[in-house]
């Protein structure tokens, strides 16, 4: 029993944090949000660091990083509000492609492309009518019942649907499912889509937790500077207690996220439930961080002027991405109440 | 990260489980807040001690088993899972015990710890005073140095089970003219000493669960002081940290009622489902209790790696006390019209369990430092917000 990260994993996180703090500053994000630039410059910088290769298997030249280490990475992606396409390509799509049977002819080539820095992957799952980055992707992995279809940009029509998170590029996708584009079907397809959904969900969970921490940090900083009644507003208990509650939601969510990541990596029979549980805790943290953050910022919190707004809106958007919050709550509730499981204290780590 | 128990840990769990199955009283003991219940719980503690299960994480030489904190979590899971009696001497064993291990002299440890592990000595806390509650640095009870003794005068209050206990531990102002957290000493006081008067206070459930202690020229040898004269605050803060944190309220203490709540819901599903919010609350209780368990394993892992746990323990305390309220409130909602019944009522089944839980949960956000104080600690020490 060892519920900790290795020194290497923690050092890796520290390195990523420093890199993204420089390259994905709020000013950079603001340029992307305002449409002055697209995310491609930032994504190229990230790819140049070799980060696209993190979870690509060693056979294709990658680092084969597992879900446990990714639970640190996704928190950093959330903290720095890195646009969707990176996590969806380098983590979720990579996981999907890695799970394909070696007999799928495109598998090795696609993984090699990701390893080399191609972050142009979009994934369409039945949990949402919208596909992130579908209109700029060069490769689309789309669900049709249990089937997995692989399509190129030319094979689909997209209709952009703008989001309140201006860094998101959501689109409806029209396409025709035919035998030539289908690369997996039946039970194998169902399993791949279930795993992909779980990986997408936990990716969002980590990002929500990172976003919560960012919103808390911004709110703490603001309440240390802003003065009313002759003193910093952070000295008032009414402000302190709101932010302490955010810190509480963040701290309790961490171990839930890490256990879910460990379950996913090790194919634990309760992975589905553990991941939804992580989503619930991370969602709660992000939702409270957003609400308290706006409140602590006062009228400034209701403006486009403060950096807080980008992280708040991204948290709201991600809350219902890769499974909406109702679905994740229902999945845990169904396990807790409707199974015939005896929830003994000794069963926390058992595959009951 | 490896979330599996070793064969040795599994074997330890099995040993604990088998011993508890054979030894836990079939009939629930009367509450330890009564004279009779207190003595029966003391006998249970002695039985635990003889089997080596009283203080599993203490060193063997002091009556423990030398287990690590993972084994302690396993023990707690089995203990609460088996519905074993509440730990009547926990304030001594978990709060003072930890302090003695860290700050006691070899003589103090050798004398007090084994007697505490076996519950030959039962301990009560003596922190609060009428004018020193949340503002504990406002302590005014005096300990005047006189040769090799202190002479104690003053009053303590909210001292849990003090009318039955043998000893009390607390802070006393030993340096005349000192203010706030300076000049306090941490003293151990035998409650059968001349000049000690104990007046019980009835708690919400009507039992004499705590007491006021009056000190009138009470003589205590200086060898009963933990740490240096005037440095008691530092020692006490370490104790308060243990209390808020993991030791006093292990996750299993909440996982077991959460398990019972799920069962209560299943047994009364049709009635409970008239309001969908009940199912949501039950699910949240279970999930929160499990999250607290995960948090504990994570914390223990980090402690084993040499990390220090600071203001985080305040977050723990807020979390479990609010969880305890939600669990018992939800149970009361499910019990509905019969929720108010005492255990002696004709229609009562497991009502006494839930009513006791509900009443005691009301104290959670208050004892061990109110949740308001905990939130201040988090805001100031963890987030760095200004004190004033």
């Amino acid at each position: 029993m060892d519920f900790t990260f290795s020194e290497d994993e923690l050092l890796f996180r520290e390195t990523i944090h420093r890199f993204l703090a420089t390259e994905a500053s709020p000013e950079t994000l603001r340029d992307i949000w305002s449409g002055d630039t697209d995310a491609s410059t930032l994504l190229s910088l990230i790819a140049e660091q070799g980060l696209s290769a993190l979870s690509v298997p060693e056979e294709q030249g990658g680092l084969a990083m597992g879900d446990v280490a990714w639970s640190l990475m996704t928190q950093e992606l959330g903290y720095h509000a890195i646009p969707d396409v990176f996590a969806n390509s380098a983590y979720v799509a990579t996981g999907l492609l890695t799970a394909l049977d070696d007999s799928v002819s495109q598998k090795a080539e696609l993984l090699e492309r990701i390893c080399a820095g191609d972050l142009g992957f979009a994934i369409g799952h039945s949990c949402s009518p919208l596909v992130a980055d579908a209109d700029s992707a060069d490769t689309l992995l789309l669900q049709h019942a249990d089937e997995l279809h692989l399509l190129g940009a030319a094979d689909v029509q997209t209709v952009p649907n703008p989001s309140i998170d201006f860094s998101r590029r959501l689109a409806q996708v029209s396409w025709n499912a035919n035998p030539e584009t289908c690369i997996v079907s039946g039970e194998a397809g169902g399993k791949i889509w279930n795993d992909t959904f779980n990986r997408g969900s936990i990716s969002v969970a980590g990002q929500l937790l990172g976003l919560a921490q960012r919103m808390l940090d911004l709110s703490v900083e603001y309440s240390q500077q802003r003065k009313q009644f002759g003193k910093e507003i952070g000295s008032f208990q009414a402000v302190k207690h709101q932010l302490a509650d955010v810190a509480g939601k963040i701290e309790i969510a961490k171990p839930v996220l890490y256990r879910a990541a460990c379950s996913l990596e090790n194919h634990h029979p309760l992975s589905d439930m553990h991941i939804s549980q992580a989503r619930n805790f991370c969602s709660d943290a992000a939702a409270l961080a957003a609400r308290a953050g706006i409140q602590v910022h006062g009228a400034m919190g209701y403006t486009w002027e403060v950096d807080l707004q980008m992280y708040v809106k991204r948290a709201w958007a991600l809350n219902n991405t890769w499974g909406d919050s109702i679905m994740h709550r229902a999945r845990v509730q169904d396990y807790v109440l409707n199974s015939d499981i005896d929830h003994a204290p000794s069963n926390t780590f058992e595959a009951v | 990260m490896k979330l599996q128990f070793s064969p040795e840990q599994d074997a330890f769990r099995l040993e604990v489980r088998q011993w508890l199955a054979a030894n836990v009283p079939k009939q629930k003991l009367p509450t330890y807040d009564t004279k009779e219940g207190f003595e029966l719980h003391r006998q249970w503690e002695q039985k635990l001690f003889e089997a080596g299960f009283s203080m599993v994480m203490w060193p063997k030489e002091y009556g423990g088993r030398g287990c690590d904190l993972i084994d302690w979590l396993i023990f707690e899971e089995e203990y609460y899972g088996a519905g074993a009696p509440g730990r009547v001497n926990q304030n001594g064993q978990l709060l003072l015990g930890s302090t003695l291990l860290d700050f006691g002299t070899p003589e103090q440890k050798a004398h007090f710890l084994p007697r505490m592990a076996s519950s030959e000595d039962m301990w009560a806390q003596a922190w609060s005073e009428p004018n020193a509650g949340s503002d504990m640095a406002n302590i005014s009870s005096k300990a005047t140095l006189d040769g090799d003794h202190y002479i104690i005068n003053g009053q303590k209050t909210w001292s849990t089970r003090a009318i039955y206990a043998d000893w009390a531990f607390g802070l006393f102002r030993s340096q005349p003219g000192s203010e706030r957290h300076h000049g306090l000493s941490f003293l151990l006081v035998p409650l059968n000493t001349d000049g000690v008067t104990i007046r019980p206070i009835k708690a919400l459930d009507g039992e004499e669960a705590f007491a006021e202690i009056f000190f009138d020229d009470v003589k205590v040898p200086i060898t009963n002081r933990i740490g240096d004269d005037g440095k008691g605050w530092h020692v006490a803060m370490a104790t308060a940290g243990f209390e808020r944190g993991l030791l006093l309220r292990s996750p299993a203490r909440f996982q077991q009622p959460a398990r019972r709540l799920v069962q209560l819901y299943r047994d009364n599903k049709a009635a409970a489902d008239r309001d969908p919010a009940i199912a949501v609350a039950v699910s949240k209780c279970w999930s929160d209790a499990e999250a607290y368990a995960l948090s504990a394993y994570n914390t223990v892992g980090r402690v084993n790696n040499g990390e220090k746990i600071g203001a985080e323990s305040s977050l723990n305390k807020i979390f479990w006390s609010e969880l305890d309220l939600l669990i018992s409130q939800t149970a009361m909602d499910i019990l509905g019209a019969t929720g108010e019944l005492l255990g002696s009522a004709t229609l009562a089944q497991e009502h006494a369990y839930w009513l006791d839980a509900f009443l005691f949960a009301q104290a959670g956000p208050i004892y061990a430092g109110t949740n308001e104080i905990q939130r201040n600690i988090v805001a100031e020490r963890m987030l760095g917000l200004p004190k004033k």
Side-chain angles (χ1 to χ4, degrees), chain B residues 224-241:
Chain B
N224 283 11
R225 188 188 68 222
I226 306 183
D228 292 339
D229 182 87
K231 303 290 180 201
W233 183 264
H234 173 62
V235 176
M237 283 303 102
T239 312

Side-chain angles (χ1 to χ4, degrees), chain A residues 157-175:
Chain A
Q157 283 94 46
T158 61
V159 179
N161 278 241
S163 159
I164 186 67
D165 173 351
F166 282 40
S167 76
R168 268 158 83 77
R169 300 280 179 268
L170 301 178
Q172 289 166 282
V173 180
S174 316
W175 58 291

Side-chain angles (χ1 to χ4, degrees), chain A residues 16-347:
Chain A
I16 297 293
H17 183 84
R18 276 201 301 269
F19 167 69
L20 293 179
T22 311
E23 302 301 344
S25 66
E27 294 72 32
T28 305
L29 287 180
R30 219 164 244 287
D31 288 344
I32 295 172
W33 274 62
S34 62
D36 291 349
T37 172
D38 64 17
S40 61
T41 314
L42 174 60
L43 291 166
S44 303
L45 281 166
I46 291 173
E48 277 167 26
Q49 293 297 311
L51 300 182
S52 66
L54 287 177
S55 59
V56 173
E58 287 168 359
E59 296 93 300
Q60 280 83 34
L63 299 170
M65 190 169 95
D67 298 293
V68 170
W70 265 100
S71 70
L72 297 175
M73 181 71 181
T74 52
Q75 286 179 74
E76 292 304 325
L77 298 178
Y79 191 90
H80 299 285
I82 303 303
D84 303 319
V85 72
F86 176 72
N88 280 343
S89 299
Y91 181 38
V92 187
T94 304
L96 182 157
L97 294 168
T98 304
L100 292 175
D101 196 86
D102 286 342
S103 63
V104 177
S105 58
Q106 300 94 331
K107 175 179 175 179
E109 184 232 322
L110 290 172
L111 285 168
E112 278 160 17
R113 266 172 45 198
I114 294 175
C115 191
D118 178 355
L119 293 169
F121 286 73
I123 309 167
H125 186 275
S126 57
C127 66
S128 172
L130 297 157
V131 180
D133 302 290
D135 53 356
S136 57
D138 49 41
T139 310
L140 294 97
L141 298 158
L142 302 175
Q143 183 180 18
H144 178 72
D146 277 349
E147 296 171 2
L148 166 61
H149 291 257
L150 175 68
L151 295 96
D155 306 326
V156 300
Q157 283 94 46
T158 61
V159 179
N161 278 241
S163 159
I164 186 67
D165 173 351
F166 282 40
S167 76
R168 268 158 83 77
R169 300 280 179 268
L170 301 178
Q172 289 166 282
V173 180
S174 316
W175 58 291
N176 290 316
N178 62 57
E180 288 87 77
T181 57
C182 178
I183 55 173
V184 190
S185 61
E187 205 178 309
K191 182 171 180 343
I192 281 192
W193 278 119
N194 189 59
D195 287 354
T196 300
F197 177 77
N198 278 342
R199 194 158 279 114
S201 298
I202 201 170
S203 165
V204 165
Q207 292 180 67
L208 285 168
L209 193 54
L211 281 158
Q213 186 65 52
R214 184 58 170 268
M215 292 185 274
L216 176 61
D217 289 355
L218 288 169
S219 304
V220 165
E221 198 181 319
Y222 185 82
S223 66
Q224 284 166 333
Q225 285 161 5
R226 170 70 177 165
K227 287 187 177 172
Q228 285 288 273
F229 305 102
K231 49 187 180 178
E232 298 92 338
I233 60 168
S235 66
F236 298 115
Q237 284 198 351
V239 172
K240 279 182 179 164
H241 290 190
Q242 288 191 51
L243 296 179
D245 283 342
V246 176
K249 291 275 187 201
I250 291 173
E251 289 307 315
I252 195 68
K254 286 178 188 172
V256 185
L257 173 68
Y258 302 152
R259 191 271 295 267
C262 195
S263 292
L264 181 61
E265 186 167 311
N266 295 296
H267 313 287
H268 192 289
L270 293 179
S271 291
D272 291 6
M273 196 281 287
H274 291 164
I275 286 165
S276 287
Q277 196 183 16
R279 271 293 290 268
N280 297 342
F281 278 87
C282 295
S283 282
D284 285 353
L288 191 67
R291 179 78 277 283
I294 291 174
Q295 191 68 21
V296 164
H297 278 74
M300 287 302 286
Y302 190 66
T303 68
W304 183 270
E305 313 256 315
V306 288
D307 292 335
L308 179 75
Q309 58 106 1
M310 295 187 288
Y311 305 96
V312 163
K313 289 171 184 167
R314 184 152 179 77
W316 287 339
L318 287 186
N319 188 41
N320 291 302
T321 297
W322 281 113
D324 58 25
S325 59
I326 293 176
M327 178 266 157
H328 286 293
R329 279 179 215 289
R331 202 154 73 157
V332 172
Q333 190 174 313
D334 184 53
Y335 167 78
V336 175
L337 303 181
N338 301 333
S339 57
D340 54 2
I341 288 161
D342 174 13
H343 298 294
S346 55
N347 282 344

Side-chain angles (χ1 to χ4, degrees), chain B residues 294-307:
Chain B
L294 296 172
S295 165
Y297 278 93
N298 180 249
T299 302
V300 163
R302 285 159 49 215
V303 168
N304 287 345
N305 287 351
E307 257 187 73

